[in-house]
Structures are given as C-alpha cells and as structure tokens.
Amino acid sequence: MAETLYTMPPGQRLGYIEEIIQLARSGQCPRIRKILTMPALIRPDPTKKHLFYQGRKSYCTISQAANRYCRASPWDAGIADVVRGKVPEPPTGEVDEALDLVA
C-alpha cells in the first residue's frame, strides 16, 4: 500500500488514503484495518528499514500516513479510533434543505 501511495501523483494521494481508511472503517476489509492500526507500523523502529518504502525512514509507513491524515482531518483523532468507529463521521458540509428553509 505504501508503494502505491508513493508512486501515484501527489494530487491523488489524499484520496487514496481516504479510500483505504473508509475501507477499513466500513469493515469490508479487516486486513487493511489490522495493517492501519498495527502499533509497529504507527510507531516503527527506525532501524527496521524493511518497514519503510524503499527502506528509507524518510517515507512514512502507510499506517503513519493514515494516522497523520486522520489527525489533520475533521476527525481529529488517531487512525485506530477512526477505523474502529469510535469517532463519528465528520460533517460533509452539505446543507440540509429543511435547515435552509428556516434561515
């Protein structure tokens, strides 16, 4: 997954991270959920180069990238809480028509 992330154009990376987070959150792919919440990948030992894309610790693991995304997003929570459903879906920004009529 990290290879896919780092080989795609930068403008598509956030969408890819969002997609794998949603897959894990939905429960459709428990394996992805397990990978994203694995402590050894969220806080990897920097001497274990095999955990990093191309063996370089300058690249985040897929779990670190997803965790950073979740913390910087409207979820404002760690990846484990997001994919396990412990935090609600963030607002979409859509206006409810009924609320619009009240204004």
Side-chain angles (χ1 to χ4, degrees), residues 6 46 49-61:
Y6 291 116
K49 294 185 177 189
H50 67 279
L51 297 176
F52 301 93
Y53 177 63
Q54 294 187 341
R56 294 191 206 151
K57 61 183 177 183
S58 59
Y59 287 104
C60 296
T61 66

Side-chain angles (χ1 to χ4, degrees), residues 1-5 9-10 15 28 30 35 40 44 67-68 74-75 83 90 94 97-98 100:
M1 286 190 293
E3 181 178 2
T4 301
L5 176 67
Q28 291 177 335
I35 291 168
N67 192 52
R68 290 176 183 178
W75 276 308
V83 300
E94 294 178 8
E97 193 174 314
D100 194 33

Side-chain angles (χ1 to χ4, degrees), residues 2-71:
E3 181 178 2
T4 301
L5 176 67
Y6 291 116
T7 57
M8 65 178 31
Q12 295 175 4
R13 292 178 185 173
L14 291 179
Y16 175 71
I17 291 174
E18 173 74 27
E19 185 179 316
I20 62 172
I21 290 169
Q22 290 296 346
L23 271 173
R25 187 173 167 89
S26 72
Q28 291 177 335
C29 197
R31 188 171 184 198
I32 290 177
R33 180 183 289 188
K34 184 176 181 177
I35 291 168
L36 294 182
T37 60
M38 193 176 296
L41 292 176
I42 295 173
R43 290 179 203 85
D45 179 344
T47 64
K48 296 184 178 180
K49 294 185 177 189
H50 67 279
L51 297 176
F52 301 93
Y53 177 63
Q54 294 187 341
R56 294 191 206 151
K57 61 183 177 183
S58 59
Y59 287 104
C60 296
T61 66
I62 193 67
S63 302
Q64 286 176 311
N67 192 52
R68 290 176 183 178
Y69 175 87
C70 288
R71 290 195 182 279

